[in-house]
Each structure stands twice: as C-alpha cells, then as structure tokens.
Amino acid sequence: PNVEMFQKFIWHQTCAIRKFYLYSKFNKYFTPPINEQYVYMPLHLIPESTTFTKAPMYINELMLIEAISKTMPINWKLYVKEHPMMVGERELSFYAKVAKIPNVKLLDFKNHKEPKDLIQKSKTVVTITGSSAFEAAILNKPAIVFGNVSFNVIPGIKVVNNFEELEQLFKLIENNNWCQDNTRDCAIYLKSIQE
C-alpha cells in the first residue's frame, strides 16, 4: 500500500509540474491562432467512455493528428486544442511531436476557453466523438467525426470510416459541397432528445 501511495504522490507531482510549465510563459509548444484557413480539432479527455466505446479504433490522438495533417488541402492548417482537464496529464513529448508537424498548431488554451469563435472561423471541425461536432452543426459549419454518435443523423456531420475518406471529405468542404443549413435538423434532433 505504501508503494502505491508513493507512486500516486509522484504521479500527482509530475502532473502539477507539467501543468505549471504549460501555463507558464516558458511553454514553447502552444501558439495563438492567426488569420488563416484551418481545421479545428479539440482533443478529448482520455480515458473517456464515449471515445473508448464509440470509436475504439481512433483513440490514438497523435495518429489522428498526423492523418488529418497529411490529407488536408495544402494551404490549410490544423489547429489542435487541448482539453482543459488534460492539461498536465499528458507527457510533454506528445506536444513536442505535434509541434514538429509543419501544418499543425497547438492552440494556446489560456486565451481560448470558449470554442465558439474557433468553430465559427474554421473550415471544419474534426473530433473523435466530441460534442464540438454538434456545436459546429448548430453554427452551420461542416463537422467530421470518427465515432458512432447519436448526432450523426444531422446532414452537416459526416462519419469517417477510414483515413482514406478524409481527403475526399476535405475536398467536399473546400468546394462548398456540404450541407449549408443544419438549423432545422439540429432543432429536430434536440426535440427528439428532449422527448
């Protein structure tokens, strides 16, 4: 029991140190967004039951970031935003690997607690199973999900079954071949959930 308590203590201290670093001015991984075309990808709380049960093949977020960055139009950027509850939980090596991908930016989360602005200015939202896809649909922005979630019934939200489909979906968005108005479908979905 003492060994386990000591390990927990070390884990919590390590997380606290990482969190302090990530919130400090010395953090070299996170940058503010600038005026450019981007895909918005909020990261998940891991472990999370919805991610593990509804998208078990897509829980490696680093692999997803790499796949998205390779299939996006060449003039787009991928803006990745850390989940507030995960600050300090991940190894710093995760951020170092993401920061090395040329067309990917880790967003400075301190200034962006409210995602609405990021969603509105994005070309699309990509998430594993996150509610940000539904938020995007409400704002009439295209959304791509990797998991089988209940709001997939909304036409503005598309499900990716494999990485090969990503490039085609990005082309549809680039060419404006996407559902332009989800207002009615979102209202019907919310009414159904309420009932």
Side-chain angles (χ1 to χ4, degrees), residues 40-44 115-116 118-120 122-160 178-179 182-183 185-186 189:
Y40 173 58
M41 182 184 179
L43 297 178
H44 283 255
K116 185 182 173 189
L118 289 167
I119 293 170
Q120 276 183 318
S122 73
K123 298 296 284 179
T124 182
V125 172
V126 179
T127 178
I128 303 173
T129 57
S131 59
S132 53
F134 181 65
E135 290 173 57
I138 288 173
L139 295 166
N140 291 317
K141 281 286 174 180
I144 298 169
V145 292
F146 287 89
N148 191 14
V149 288
S150 60
F151 44 79
N152 285 353
V153 294
I154 297 164
I157 300 171
K158 304 279 187 239
V159 185
V160 173
W178 204 274
C179 178
N182 296 299
T183 313
D185 295 290
C186 287
Y189 171 78

Side-chain angles (χ1 to χ4, degrees), residues 4 7 12 26 35 80 84 94 104 106 109 147 152 161 187 190:
E4 199 176 297
Q7 286 173 329
H12 287 295
F26 305 107
N35 189 20
V80 177
F94 172 86
V104 178
L106 283 159
F109 53 84
N152 285 353
N161 297 305
L190 288 171

Side-chain angles (χ1 to χ4, degrees), residues 38-112:
Y38 65 89
V39 172
Y40 173 58
M41 182 184 179
L43 297 178
H44 283 255
L45 178 64
I46 302 286
E48 183 182 56
S49 58
T50 54
T51 312
F52 278 60
T53 56
K54 295 179 179 180
M57 303 302 289
Y58 299 103
I59 54 175
N60 181 338
E61 291 182 300
L62 182 61
M63 184 179 71
L64 287 180
I65 291 166
E66 288 169 345
I68 294 163
S69 76
K70 288 173 188 168
T71 53
M72 292 186 313
I74 200 158
N75 57 328
W76 291 10
K77 291 277 190 279
L78 175 60
Y79 282 8
V80 177
K81 183 171 170 281
E82 181 58 285
H83 191 288
M85 301 296 288
M86 287 297 289
V87 178
E89 300 281 321
R90 289 185 213 268
E91 298 281 338
L92 292 179
S93 60
F94 172 86
Y95 304 117
K97 286 173 189 167
V98 173
K100 280 183 182 161
I101 306 169
N103 60 347
V104 178
K105 276 188 179 179
L106 283 159
L107 287 186
D108 183 356
F109 53 84
K110 296 188 295 285
N111 303 322
H112 285 91

